Amino acid sequence: MDDLDFALKYPFSSEAKQIVQNIHLTDRVLELGAERIKKALRGESKARVVLNQEGKKEDIASFAAARMILGFMKNTFLTNKFAVNESKVVRSHLDKEDKKTVERVAARFDIFPENRNNTMLLDLPTYVRFSVRSPYYRLVNRKLTNGFVEINDNDLRRLVEEAVRKHTEDIPVVRDPPKQVKHIAERIIEELPKSETTINAKEGDHPPCILNLLESAKKHQNLNHSARWYLATYLNAIGMGEDAITGIYAQLPDFNEKTTRYQIKHLRRKGYNVPSCSTVMSYGLCVASCRTGNPVRWHKLSESRKKEILK
Ligand code: SF4
């Protein structure tokens, strides 16, 4: 793969930076940057197909343009959505690459896996820096050898995906951009989904682990699969309606209304129970020692305490 095609797939690479240096942020490039952000809003993680050299260069520059627009907008929701979407696009490329190319992308984030006796090892600090919040990646579930963590090809791709997300959401503030950027920012604001839902949970309403997840949703941070699943079973069990639960999930950067509603209906139909505290602990989501055994029990005890006080 030549440098141009590599940069097209990986617009954060040093190859991309070199190419972008010689390109002006024209109106066309800024519009492509805006479209990149809007694609993230729509949850479209398919890469744009560009065939000619000029088009490829503009597409690479549109990544920098999008970051400039977001740096001016300072909108956490949009930035998180953009970062998640871009990392998913990169992941779809990585899944089709050979090992050498994956390692080339990984090197951009100082991820240097070592191969010893047919085993792939990654140094502990790098692993911790880019591993995701999920039981599978927790250190207690990993094989450690002399400060190195054993990983496989798929783990490496996932770690790089996370590194891309982190890098992409780390956008410097742009204070005084060109006029065109300001106009684009105004247009994007108009197109933002108007959510009626505000997450109004306060201490005493829900157990600390749930408050923690609601706080993350409020900040438009991504939640991993276990966290989403746990939160949905809990909200359903305490009697929250489908619309209200969907409204909370609408705050997440990769929200998809159809999928969310389908999953809520599915968990209701199947009658899934809320996991016990020890299971929540194994998900890495427990943040206190409430001694209630089950998060729903925590909620019920809290509700009856409130009723006692009002008597
Ligand atoms: S002990 Fe249970 S209710 Fe309390 S934070 Fe942990 S999982 Fe949640």
Side-chain angles (χ1 to χ4, degrees), residues 207-210 230 276-277 280-281 285-295 298:
C209 47
I210 292 292
Y230 168 45
S276 67
C277 287
V280 177
M281 212 176 284
L285 299 172
C286 174
V287 292
S289 182
C290 310
R291 296 171 195 276
T292 50
N294 187 293
W298 189 106

Side-chain angles (χ1 to χ4, degrees), residues 271-284:
Y272 287 113
N273 288 326
V274 180
S276 67
C277 287
S278 56
T279 306
V280 177
M281 212 176 284
S282 74
Y283 292 164

Side-chain angles (χ1 to χ4, degrees), residues 2 99 141 230 265 278 281 291 303:
D2 68 16
K99 204 168 168 208
N141 298 324
Y230 168 45
K265 283 190 180 93
S278 56
M281 212 176 284
R291 296 171 195 276
E303 290 298 295

Side-chain angles (χ1 to χ4, degrees), residues 252-267:
L252 303 180
D254 58 353
F255 171 68
N256 177 309
E257 182 168 356
K258 208 170 144 203
T259 313
T260 305
R261 286 191 184 274
Y262 170 80
Q263 282 167 348
I264 297 168
K265 283 190 180 93
H266 177 72
L267 84 85

